[in-house]
Structures are given as C-alpha cells and as structure tokens.
Amino acid sequence: MQSREWRLARRPVGMPVMADFELATVDLPAPAEGEIRVANRFLSVDPYMRGRMIDRPSYAPPFRLGEAMQGGAIGEVIESRAEGFAPGDLVSSLWGWREAWVAPAAGVRRINPPSGIAPQAYLGVLGLTGLTAWSGLTQLGSPKAGETLFVSGGAGAVGSMVAQIGRILDLEVIASAGSAAKCDWLRTLGVQAINYRDGDITRQLLAAAPKGIDIYFDNVGGDHLQAALEAARPFARFVECGMIAHYNDSAPQPGPSNLMYVVGKQIRMEGFIVSRFAALEDEFTATMTGWLTKGLIRHEETIVDGLAQAPEAFLGLFCGGNLGKMIVRV
Ligand code: NDP
C-alpha cells in the first residue's frame, strides 16, 4: 500500500509559501506484531506547527527537512496486529499530514465518539483545542462570576471555546476577530465582539469594557496584548496561550510599550503549554461532553477537502481563513 505525505522541503522565512512544502509518495510496510495500519480521515493544522518549522530548541521538536511532518489526526484502523485494536476502530494519533501510516499501537488512543459527536471533534472541541481553552481559563484565569474576560482570536478554535466557557462561567465576555462576519457570529454566542480591522484595538476595547477587564486570554499578542494591558483592572490575570501575530516574524519584535502596567496594576501574567494540564483530561472530557449534551457549546469547523490542500489550510490560519477549528478531510 502507498501513502502520500507532506514534508517540509525548506525552512520558511516569514509567511510560509507552497515551495516550503513537498508532497511525497511512500510505500507502507505490512504491520509487524504490535502495529496497526491506519487510514487517516481528518487532520489537524495548528498555528504551533509554524514554530516547528524553525530549527531551534522548543517544547515541540523542529520538523526535520525531507521527512513527513507530524500533527493531530483521526484515522480508521485498516489492519491490526495489536491487541485491543480491530479494523474499523477510530484512533487519535500524531501521525498527521499523511494519508495512511503503519506504527506501534502504543501511543495511539482509541476513540468512541458518543452519538451526535463527529470523530473530528477529537481534534477540536474534545481534543487539545478544548483542553487548551478550558484548562487555560479555569486553571490560570481564576475566573469569578461577574468578571470581564477579553479573548483575542475569539472566532478561532481555542478562542471560540474560551468565549463560550466564559459565558457558562457567568463572565462578561469581549472577543476580538478579524472580520464583520466573524463578529456577527460571536454575537450569537452572547458575547461582545470587536473587529480589530475596524481601527485601534485599544480604543475599541476601552469602549467595550469601560470598567476594564479582569482576565485576558491571549491568542494573538502584539497590539492585542498592548490593548489588554491598557484595559486591565488591578489584579487582572493574563493567560498567555499564544501570540499568532508574531509567528511569521523574521526578527524578534519589541514587546508592548506599556508592559510596566504589570507592576502598577499587579497583573499576573502566565504562559502555558496545554500538555501541562494533561492530568486534567478526564475531568475536561466529562465537563465538555456534559456541556455539549446540554447544547451549551457550539463548535464550528472549517473543513478543507483533500490531503493536497493541507498546506493551504495551514496557511489559512495566518490570514483568518477559518471560523472555529481548521480541519483537513483526507
Ligand atoms: P485559530 O483557530 O484561532 O486560528 C488562527 C486565527 O488567528 C485565525 O483564524 C485568525 O483569525 C487569527 N489571526 C491570525 N493572524 C493574526 C494576527 N496577525 N492578528 C490577529 N489575529 C490573527 O487557531 P487555534 O485556536 O488553534 O490557536 C489559537 C492560539 O492558541 C494560537 O496562538 C495558538 O498558537 C495557541 N495555542 C496554544 C496552545 C498552548 O498549549 N499554549 C495550544 C493550542 C493553541 P482572525 O480572522 O480573527 O484574524
């Protein structure tokens, strides 16, 4: 059996281009004892993958040139020589960016979507996206009912979960996004929305939160972080989840010019990587499944069809091409 896979052909400088990627075809071996052969159905493309295209030490190792890239994937077992796995089983793995693979079943998770939940939800609302949003907000945001939360990247995968969890926790929520259509959608979730392309984000945030914000869930960095520092109330908590505005910078950029507010306003600013909260996964899954069953959470997906489109789907993350979770259907 053959499989096509995306490789990193060269390390991008600035915004990646198609020539940085290479589509290769490989022969898959037959599974050995303890291995499974899986056909991927859905792939995740995520902003953090941009960091893995740079050759530097990080929490996730750099992609190697000329080798298949990695990423979240949901696939179907085609052939199994591993105990506990049978053809037809659905599995969640990190063997993304490819059509099919053969590998040890250890390290792969079998999933059993409850009725009404699509398998690809395990790449989004019930996967690392949901865990990132829930754990970041509840563990680091220290939310209290009635407080005001500002979340940037509000119409994206993590941001739209943060916004809705904020509402469930009785927070006043302000979410930013990059288009009028995304802001209209955010308002249907019961949150205030600001379009950062409509002008100065600080001015818009101060108008939306005249009494200031208690929690900032940062997905963007840059001018959004500057605005949040300006609007922060004393003892605000800044949950530093990501700074996508900087992922394609070719040189380090200066930080916010008003960072000194951290002192005077006694702000607690903490970054995190979702793996830190892996031990909370069962609690998260039970909580999120409950919210989904009660219809309290909406999870949009932007599905791009075909493995060949995976790089375009990935690049789309940096120009707002997605509402909710960006997913590639193989
Ligand atoms: P999203 O679904 O939010 O997709 C990215 C979105 O970011 C785009 O849709 C776009 O929306 C917005 N965006 C892109 N460039 C800019 C920019 N220059 N300024 C403002 N907005 C921009 O991705 P995820 O939900 O997967 O990730 C969101 C953030 O969370 C990222 O920073 C990511 O790195 C981080 N993350 C961190 C994790 C952790 O463990 N710490 C785990 C998972 C994600 P728009 O149209 O609004 O511009």
Side-chain angles (χ1 to χ4, degrees), residues 223-240:
D223 56 353
H224 284 69
L225 178 55
Q226 175 106 12
L229 284 161
E230 207 65 38
R233 285 161 54 82
F235 298 102
R237 284 81 65 197
F238 278 41
V239 183
E240 293 303 324

Side-chain angles (χ1 to χ4, degrees), residues 72-283:
I74 301 296
E76 183 180 333
V77 177
I78 303 298
E79 188 181 348
S80 172
R81 292 193 59 198
E83 180 120 6
F85 290 83
D89 284 351
L90 290 173
V91 293
S92 170
S93 79
L94 288 175
W95 298 103
W97 289 95
R98 69 201 83 192
E99 282 170 324
W101 47 274
V102 172
V108 169
R109 196 159 59 96
R110 211 146 55 86
I111 57 165
N112 260 319
S115 89
I117 301 287
Q120 70 272 20
Y122 289 83
L123 297 176
V125 62
L126 284 172
L128 289 184
T129 295
L131 181 61
T132 301
W134 175 83
S135 59
L137 182 59
T138 60
Q139 305 302 304
L140 302 182
S142 310
K144 290 173 229 32
E147 288 189 329
T148 300
L149 159 72
F150 172 46
V151 52
S152 54
V158 171
S160 61
M161 291 299 124
V162 171
Q164 294 178 81
I165 296 168
R167 293 297 296 129
I168 292 170
L169 300 178
D170 281 327
L171 304 175
E172 296 292 326
V173 179
I174 302 160
S176 67
S179 75
K182 288 183 179 184
C183 287
D184 285 345
W185 177 76
L186 280 166
R187 291 186 192 104
T188 68
L189 304 177
V191 311
Q192 280 196 77
I194 51 185
N195 180 351
Y196 66 83
R197 292 187 204 276
D198 276 351
D200 183 58
I201 180 86
T202 299
R203 186 182 47 75
Q204 292 194 67
L205 181 59
L206 290 173
K211 293 189 188 146
I213 61 169
D214 302 286
I215 307 171
Y216 174 45
F217 194 106
D218 194 9
N219 289 314
V220 169
D223 56 353
H224 284 69
L225 178 55
Q226 175 106 12
L229 284 161
E230 207 65 38
R233 285 161 54 82
F235 298 102
R237 284 81 65 197
F238 278 41
V239 183
E240 293 303 324
C241 175
M243 298 198 181
I244 194 167
H246 294 293
Y247 294 177
N248 290 313
D249 288 348
S250 40
Q253 296 300 307
S257 61
N258 58 353
L259 184 61
M260 217 179 83
Y261 276 135
V262 168
V263 180
K265 298 186 184 190
Q266 306 191 60
I267 293 167
R268 191 180 79 214
M269 190 182 246
E270 186 165 357
F272 77 106
I273 300 299
V274 60
S275 50
R276 169 167 154 197
F277 298 115
L280 300 180
E281 201 170 343
D282 289 347
E283 183 187 342

